[in-house]
Every structure is written in structure tokens, then in C-alpha cells.
Amino acid sequence: MSTHIRLTDLTDKALNLLKAQGLSASTLGGYTKKYEFLKKYFASLGSAYYDESLLSQFMVDYEEKHKNGTICYFYLRQWQRATRLIKEIAAEGTADLNPYVNRRKYVVSKENEAVINSILDSYNLQGIPREEMDISLRHICYYACGENDSLLNITDDHLLKFIGTEIPNSTSGSKSRTMRAVKLLSEYFRKNQINAHNLDFTYVHLKDRSDTLIEPFTAEEITKMLNAIDTSDSVGLRDYAIILLAFDTGLRAVDIRTLQFSDIDWKNAIIKVNQDKTNEPLTLPLTNRVMNAISDYILKGRPESDSQYIFLISKAPYRPFNRRHGTFTGLIRKYCDAAGVEHIYKRGFHSLRRSFATELSLSGAPIEVISQMLGHKSILEDKPYLSYNKNEVSFCAFDFTEIPICSGIYAAHFKAE
């Protein structure tokens, strides 16, 4: 469904509604960035007006990113909510900002409701954050007290049992909010000396699910794929350059898809991009083989086009890859089959980025350097990209022969030897 409503008018109205709900400046900033990005997406397709089909296609692309592991579930949920508001405002002139969870699911007594409101007031919670904490606190109250017992009688044991039985059954999106409610409740009771609360839940953290370690492509497998590409035609020259660029730089698919001529400094052999995921600049060195592969495509295989994007689809009208097909998932499958490389669940184009990081690690590069080259803000983000490095671990497995133990429970044993 298309309308004659300017997208800017819808996003401005959505932001005003969110601001009226008392959201923090950082949360509003996140929505603002998303809406600016959405407007750029529409503009890239030649439209400044709201179009529901374009918006739906945009979200299909992001859902595909989530399936491929490019973005996390929480980030996808943020986009789902941001686009839902736009749809509702376009259709009805306003939007429902309340959470979808039914507050009546956890019915509590009036006395307990008054205690819950007192807790929420003490932390000055307003708008959506208040609604979410209200639901979670009702959940705790309903679990421990039912509809009759007083919330003021809840003990540490009640909270520990709640954490062990209820939170694991919550959806992934609500677990963190529910745990925050436990902490608020415990802190409030401790501060006000209500009941016998001795445990400090402030530092209690849920154990995250184990990261799924997706095996990266080995250098040998990537070489096989590259050798399987027929570079005698334009498609082969393009695909060869794309795969090699991903493996030698660790760039994300979206940053390769949107790579422009101005992003490459041929004289100094560097590439400069503004990362789509983080909106942060990134500068990387280019090897001779990568520059040769890209130049071969530009000079011998790239269709004639005025587009400033380097990589184009192979059929007329020649244009850049769209968001859906620019993940290059099919490209990897094609050349894995051609090279006889095993298909491993969830191992796709993004795995080339992990292969890049793994090769750097095996060559002895410090994790800080790897983090910078991946364009991460924190080295904590590098964990899913690095393979188990047995050489580095075994190097740490030395004894204490050269380290004198002068105190502590092992001192006597050390002196005896």
C-alpha cells in the first residue's frame, strides 16, 4: 500500500510520541538513527514517501540478516518496533506504544499493586520503561504471592526460586527485563529494611547461552572456492573480487555491496568505508592481489554504468545489489558446490569475516589489532570471530619453576624442594 505521506512526517511523529513516553535520551537517539537510516534507504530507491511494500521488504532483509547471524535478535526487535510505529501512524494517525504483554495476566491484590507502584515511583520510571517493569514486578508478585499474600513477605528464597524456575521459561526478549525487576525489588526492600533480605542481587547475572561456534572456512577451502570460479566472464571476475575482498579485509557483506569508487585509495593501497552496522569509519590496507582482482573486474567485467557503486548485478538494467541479495549467501553456496567444499549449518558469506580474524590470530596478531581491523568498538565483540588457538593456549601452560613462592599455603612445599 502506497500513500502520499512523506516518510519524514511519519518518523517525526513517531519520535514525538516516543519522547512523550519519557524514553531516555540514548534510547531516543537510537530510534532517531534508525529513522534516518530508513529515510536514506527509501531515498536510494527514489522515494521520499511512505510505501508499505518498501517498508516490508526492508524488514524482510533484516530478518534475513538475523537468520544469517549478522545482527542479534535484540537489534531485530528494535527495528520491528520502529517500523510498526510507522505503519500504525500511516494507517491510523497514531500508534499504540504500550507493550504487547497483557498486564492482566498477572493479577495482584490492591495492596500489592500499591507496593509495586511505590517501587516504580522510587526509581522515577515513566512511560514504556514503567510499563515493562510493572509487568515484570507483577510476574514476581504473582509467582510468590498469588492473588492474596503480601508482596512485603517475599524473601530471598522466593526470589532465588523465581530466578531458577520462571526466568528460564521467559522469552529471550523479556529475560533481561525480568531480571532487572528482581534487582529493583531486592534493592528497594534492602534500602527500606523490609523483611529479611540479606542477599544482594545487584551482581547476579543470568548465564548466557553458549555461543554457537560456527566453523570458519579454512584458507585451503577458500583457495579451492577461488580456483573454482571461472574468471573468463564478468560474473566470475566480480564474484572472485568479492570473495577475495571479504577474506583479505574482513569487511561485512553490506559494506562490500555498498563499496564505491571513492572508497579505494589506489595510490596508498587502502580502503576507507563508513560501516553500515556501526556507522563508524574504518580504514584497512589492501593487498596487491585484492587490488588486482577489483581492477580486473572494473576494467574487464563491470558493465558500463554511471553508478558510483563498484559491484553491480550482471543483468540489465545494471544496478547495485539490493539489500536482500547483497548478503551474497547464494554466491558462497554456488562456489562451495563447485569446489566440493562441505556445507556446514550457518556457515555462509559472513564466515569469511571470521576466517579473516582466525588467520590473523594464528599468525600471532594481537587481539587489539584484530579488533581494530574488524571495526569493533570493544574486543569483547571479537569472541565469536576467533577460533580456538591451541598454540597460544599451550604457551600459557608453563610451571612455576622460575617463580619463587615465598608465602601462602604452598610456601613450605616449595622450600622443602
Side-chain angles (χ1 to χ4, degrees), residues 99 101-104 106-108 112-121 125-142 151 177-178 180-181 184:
V101 180
N102 185 357
R103 295 170 70 250
R104 294 180 181 177
Y106 305 115
V107 178
V108 300
N112 288 337
E113 187 168 355
V115 175
I116 290 173
N117 286 329
S118 178
I119 296 172
L120 297 172
D121 290 341
L125 293 175
Q126 302 294 329
I128 294 174
R130 185 184 181 96
E131 290 282 347
E132 291 176 341
M133 282 300 102
D134 176 62
I135 293 168
S136 296
L137 288 171
R138 286 170 177 270
H139 186 183
I140 298 170
C141 181
Y142 187 80
L151 182 59
R177 290 194 298 269
T178 308
R180 185 181 172 215
L184 291 183

Side-chain angles (χ1 to χ4, degrees), residues 95-203:
D96 179 13
L97 299 180
N98 292 320
Y100 287 118
V101 180
N102 185 357
R103 295 170 70 250
R104 294 180 181 177
K105 178 179 179 181
Y106 305 115
V107 178
V108 300
S109 67
K110 290 184 178 180
E111 176 193 348
N112 288 337
E113 187 168 355
V115 175
I116 290 173
N117 286 329
S118 178
I119 296 172
L120 297 172
D121 290 341
S122 70
Y123 290 98
N124 196 30
L125 293 175
Q126 302 294 329
I128 294 174
R130 185 184 181 96
E131 290 282 347
E132 291 176 341
M133 282 300 102
D134 176 62
I135 293 168
S136 296
L137 288 171
R138 286 170 177 270
H139 186 183
I140 298 170
C141 181
Y142 187 80
Y143 170 82
C145 308
E147 297 184 30
N148 300 313
D149 198 5
S150 173
L151 182 59
L152 300 178
N153 293 331
I154 284 183
T155 65
D156 289 336
D157 286 340
H158 284 120
L159 294 180
L160 288 172
K161 288 179 180 178
F162 177 82
I163 292 172
T165 58
E166 291 295 293
I167 291 184
N169 296 321
S170 301
T171 62
S172 57
S174 65
K175 285 181 180 178
S176 60
R177 290 194 298 269
T178 308
M179 191 63 214
R180 185 181 172 215
V182 171
K183 294 179 181 182
L184 291 183
L185 179 63
S186 174
E187 185 179 35
Y188 176 83
F189 281 3
R190 283 166 59 83
K191 282 183 177 179
N192 294 279
Q193 297 181 342
I194 299 173
N195 215 328
H197 286 272
N198 300 312
L199 296 180
D200 186 354
F201 286 80
T202 306
Y203 298 103

